[in-house]
Amino acid sequence: MAETDMKNQPSDAKPSEAKPSGRAIGEPGAVRDFAGNLAGTPRTFRQTLIRHGTPTSDRAKSQAVFTNFFLHLLPTRTHLHAIKATTTLGLGVATLVLFVLLCVTGVLLMVYYKPSVEGAYGSMLDIMHVVPTGNLMRNVHRWGAHAMVACLMLHMARVFYTAAYKSPREFNWVLGMLLFVVTLGLSFTGYLLPWDQLAFWAVTIGANIAQSPQELTDALGVTSVFDVGRMQKEVLLGAHYVGQEALIRFYVLHVMVLPIVASILIAVHFWRIRKDGGLARPASADTADSGGAATADMTPALKTYGLMAVMKDKTPVVNREMRNTIMTWPNVIYVIGAVTMVTTLAMLVLGMWFDAPLREMANPAVPENPAKAPWYFLGLQELVSYSAFMGGVGIPAIVVLGLALVPYLDREREDVGVWFSGAQGRRVTLGSMVFAVLVVVGMLWFTVRNGWLRNWEATAHVPQIVITFFNPGTVFVLLFALWSVAVVKITRSTRMGAIALFTCFLVGFVILTYFATVHRGPNWDFYWSQAEWPVH
Amino acid sequence: MDNQLQTSERFKPPKTRRDFLGLLAAWSAIAAFVMAILGAFRLPMPSVFPESDSRAKLGKPKQFTVGAQTYFAKQRLWLYRDEAGFHALSSVCTHLGCIAERLDDGQFSCPCHGSKFDEAGRVKGGPAPKGLIWVELSVSPEGWLVADTLKEVTPGTKLLA
């Protein structure tokens, strides 16, 4: 456990003793040594590669984790709570596995993919029909991207509902939000690369969302001097319309910039889990089973490297049992391995049975109708059909910022590591779900049936700025915020308010995504099902 | 050592010249770093656009009779000629850049999010923040009718030719 172990090499791992120099020339000893060294090389090489023996003793098991670059992110002993299936559901590891799978399949696809307007679509067809295993790799890449966004969101919900964002893990939650944004950026930039109709028009819409702050600057009359919308679009596309410049920019972002940013953020995210004292767990997890004292050596304040060599107090804890913990090797390694295998298998099965779609080649003259973004952006697409700026920029910014600030606004220390923070939290979650369903379904029903301001006689000519700030989307957000404030007041708990807000947004996201996927057809009109879409 | 620690706890020592120079150096380095980052972000902002020549010849004015309504797919615009002259409406939706379809009654409807515009491009419904753009028209010295798809004129402006 102690850090100093790192320097102590086990005696059996020492390379053979160096012979004293000064042997006479021609003496046979040196040649014999050479022959012996040569014969012993496989053994000594293995000993220098893995410096501990077979991990059978606790000490060797500890070293197996401690002296391994890839495993040293893990503690040598892990709290039992951390490997219970209900603690994390394996979602964080699954997200990481998907990221690695995407990197591997992505690099393989890069071998044949040509990021040019003339070549892109053709190289996609090559990958699908000519390249050995190309179709499978593309399928795994596509379904893996969807699965990564899904796992990431579920992981976020898990962390939220088990109150794992609380002190000292606040900043790691912020890092998680950054990773969420970067992952969506990776998805969005990857979407253009096939250069099919859907890619072209979904990105045209995305780039114009980047331009939508013009809605605001136009209303203020400052667009001619300060046109941030145009600037954003031009930086993104390198042109006025989606074309070769946009394709190469998206390619660079997708295969280089964003993966590097994501890798760095992932590394820090995982490192901080360790520095913050492992996975969040309830206080009861330390006292329940064995009735002993808390495992003090697992708390960050008493970690030896927490001392940072600046104090003489707080020496490493010795002579205290590490209650409720197990050896990381091999227990946690098995768990991680199992999640890795299940995730990879799921992607392989999906990739073999379902082909990723590819529409006809991009045609800038004819928009896809309806031009639907990938599912995780469809909720936003429903919102931009009310107002491009609030739906595409304003509300997402409010949601991301609001979520990132949750650990700073709710600083209650109770019930960390407990799902829904107990019975009251379960009631608040359920109540918020009912509230959010009523609000969102009610607003959608109202909007589909009656339209909005422009469809009504009295308000047909209201200025755009009114619609920008008063539309079904902003009404949801306002109602959700009011509901959460009410919950804080009634329960006198910021944690309950946070649960209410998060639940509302989660429900809103799910319903809007479902609604835009199933019930929106050509011209973004409402249809009960795709079977009702007009033929054209 | 102990003495220093105690003093620093009781009151802040006055800034010395050395402190000042140190701070100056630190802030200069920070400023230089920020400027370098900003400078690097200047690169992806294009100064020349691939569509830099956004003008296109639409034809000779006499090709279009009064009442003609012609679509130019590449320029994404509708050219109209009426008694008052020529005008051209861009069919690019002002909401999110899809191409609005012109219906039989002359109104426009966008397939992406259902924005509606009347014959003159004014917003009639949906999320579009402003009306369809009236594209600048001119007559070249050789007598061609030329449209500049990146230039906008006040709605209602017509070209006599």
Side-chain angles (χ1 to χ4, degrees), chain A residues 396-433:
Chain A
I398 291 170
V399 170
V400 168
L401 269 180
L403 285 177
L405 286 179
V406 160
Y408 299 94
L409 301 179
D410 163 33
R411 302 196 59 79
E412 289 165 18
R413 301 293 292 269
E414 299 87 23
D415 302 322
V416 170
V418 182
W419 276 92
F420 304 105
S421 295
Q424 190 188 27
R426 278 196 293 273
R427 277 199 304 277
V428 170
T429 308
L430 213 62
S432 304
M433 272 168 84

Side-chain angles (χ1 to χ4, degrees), chain A residues 200-201 204-206 208-209 212 214-215 218 230-231 234-235 238-242 245 249 364-371 381 384-388 454-455 461 464 467 521-525, chain B residues 41 43-46 48-52 54 71 73-76 90 92-101 103 109-116 123-130 149-150:
Chain A
F200 183 88
W201 288 103
T204 296
I205 289 173
N208 281 286
I209 288 175
S212 67
Q214 277 187 354
E215 235 177 80
D218 277 348
R230 209 185 91 168
M231 223 156 71
E234 286 176 1
V235 168
H240 297 293
Y241 299 104
V242 177
E245 278 69 22
R249 277 167 196 234
V366 184
E368 184 86 343
N369 187 8
Q381 209 173 337
V384 298
S385 77
Y386 311 137
S387 154
R454 277 203 183 119
N455 304 92
H461 298 291
Q464 175 61 28
I467 295 174
N523 296 353
W524 211 247
D525 287 332
Chain B
F41 270 94
L43 183 139
M45 293 179 71
V48 177
F49 289 89
E51 313 96 336
S52 58
S54 51
Y71 187 61
K74 190 158 179 282
Q75 286 73 32
R76 302 164 170 190
S90 166
V92 177
C93 181
T94 52
H95 178 230
L96 291 174
C98 294
I99 296 179
E101 194 184 338
L103 308 172
S109 169
C110 181
C112 289
H113 302 96
S115 290
K116 307 263 187 294
V123 182
K124 296 292 282 180
K130 55 187 179 188
T149 49
L150 290 180

Side-chain angles (χ1 to χ4, degrees), chain A residues 434-485:
Chain A
V434 173
F435 173 80
V437 169
L438 288 177
V439 165
V440 178
V441 173
M443 288 297 295
L444 286 174
W445 175 79
F446 179 85
T447 313
V448 166
R449 196 182 159 88
N450 302 313
W452 199 249
L453 298 173
R454 277 203 183 119
N455 304 92
W456 308 332
E457 194 89 29
T459 53
H461 298 291
V462 293
Q464 175 61 28
I465 192 83
V466 175
I467 295 174
T468 300
F469 287 106
F470 181 66
N471 62 55
T474 57
V475 172
F476 296 154
V477 175
L478 189 68
L479 287 174
F480 291 169
L482 289 175
W483 166 262
S484 311
V485 171

Side-chain angles (χ1 to χ4, degrees), chain A residues 59-337:
Chain A
R59 182 162 179 271
K61 284 177 185 172
S62 182
Q63 282 177 324
V65 174
F66 204 91
T67 60
N68 181 306
F69 174 80
F70 300 99
L71 297 181
H72 87 283
L73 204 55
L74 296 164
T76 50
R77 292 185 74 86
T78 304
H79 199 279
L80 273 170
H81 184 75
I83 60 163
K84 261 171 58 182
T86 51
T87 302
T88 65
L89 311 171
L91 289 165
V93 173
T95 311
L96 175 72
V97 171
L98 288 164
F99 180 72
V100 175
L101 265 181
L102 286 165
C103 288
V104 173
T105 51
V107 168
L108 288 171
L109 292 172
M110 278 170 73
V111 172
Y112 286 96
Y113 177 75
K114 299 178 193 72
S116 78
V117 169
E118 294 80 26
Y121 191 76
S123 63
M124 291 305 293
L125 293 177
D126 278 351
I127 288 169
M128 288 164 71
H129 302 298
V130 183
V131 175
T133 74
N135 196 37
L136 177 67
M137 290 303 157
R138 171 169 185 258
N139 291 346
V140 171
H141 197 75
R142 173 67 69 95
W143 304 135
H146 286 296
M148 185 176 168
V149 174
C151 279
L152 195 152
M153 285 178 173
L154 291 172
H155 170 64
M156 177 160 67
R158 189 286 291 176
V159 170
F160 182 85
Y161 283 120
T162 56
Y165 58 80
K166 287 169 179 286
S167 176
R169 300 178 177 83
E170 298 99 326
F171 187 70
N172 221 12
W173 169 265
V174 176
L175 282 175
M177 289 309 300
L178 286 175
L179 275 165
F180 176 54
V181 174
V182 171
T183 305
L184 291 181
L186 275 164
S187 301
F188 179 64
T189 50
Y191 213 64
L192 181 64
L193 305 187
W195 203 251
D196 63 347
Q197 269 292 71
L198 207 55
F200 183 88
W201 288 103
V203 170
T204 296
I205 289 173
N208 281 286
I209 288 175
Q211 194 186 29
S212 67
Q214 277 187 354
E215 235 177 80
L216 203 64
T217 50
D218 277 348
L220 298 170
V222 296
T223 309
S224 52
V225 277
F226 179 66
D227 194 351
V228 63
R230 209 185 91 168
M231 223 156 71
Q232 292 192 132
K233 183 180 170 181
E234 286 176 1
V235 168
L236 202 59
L237 298 186
H240 297 293
Y241 299 104
V242 177
Q244 179 62 61
E245 278 69 22
L247 181 56
I248 204 81
R249 277 167 196 234
F250 275 57
Y251 182 70
V252 168
L253 284 171
H254 187 73
V255 306
M256 190 83 187
V257 180
L258 293 175
I260 290 177
V261 173
S263 304
I264 294 171
L265 288 173
I266 288 170
V268 181
H269 194 63
F270 276 73
W271 176 78
R272 279 195 84 105
I273 298 174
R274 181 76 193 285
K275 291 287 161 181
D276 294 341
L279 299 179
R281 60 180 183 276
S284 61
D286 287 326
T287 46
D289 323 353
S290 41
T295 50
D297 58 306
M298 295 298 287
T299 53
L302 289 174
K303 276 189 172 173
T304 48
Y305 45 70
L307 302 175
M308 291 182 286
V310 290
M311 293 189 231
K312 28 187 185 176
D313 294 328
K314 292 188 178 173
T315 46
V317 178
V318 290
N319 291 335
R320 203 185 289 200
E321 274 180 87
M322 290 167 283
R323 285 206 172 87
N324 298 329
T325 65
I326 42 158
M327 292 307 299
T328 298
W329 182 284
N331 304 291
V332 178
I333 309 295
Y334 284 156
V335 174
I336 293 173

Side-chain angles (χ1 to χ4, degrees), chain B residues 45-139:
Chain B
M45 293 179 71
S47 50
V48 177
F49 289 89
E51 313 96 336
S52 58
D53 196 7
S54 51
R55 290 167 304 168
K57 287 177 191 168
L58 303 179
K60 298 275 184 181
K62 61 173 187 294
Q63 271 175 255
F64 306 97
T65 54
V66 171
Q69 303 177 345
T70 321
Y71 187 61
F72 293 86
K74 190 158 179 282
Q75 286 73 32
R76 302 164 170 190
L77 59 80
W78 279 92
L79 179 73
Y80 298 86
R81 182 172 195 180
D82 54 22
E83 288 80 8
F86 285 99
H87 71 279
L89 275 183
S90 166
S91 62
V92 177
C93 181
T94 52
H95 178 230
L96 291 174
C98 294
I99 296 179
E101 194 184 338
R102 190 166 169 277
L103 308 172
D104 296 337
D105 59 358
Q107 304 212 3
F108 292 86
S109 169
C110 181
C112 289
H113 302 96
S115 290
K116 307 263 187 294
F117 306 89
D118 68 6
E119 309 83 3
R122 287 178 292 246
V123 182
K124 296 292 282 180
K130 55 187 179 188
L132 293 177
I133 286 172
W134 284 52
V135 174
E136 189 192 82
L137 291 175
S138 58
V139 178

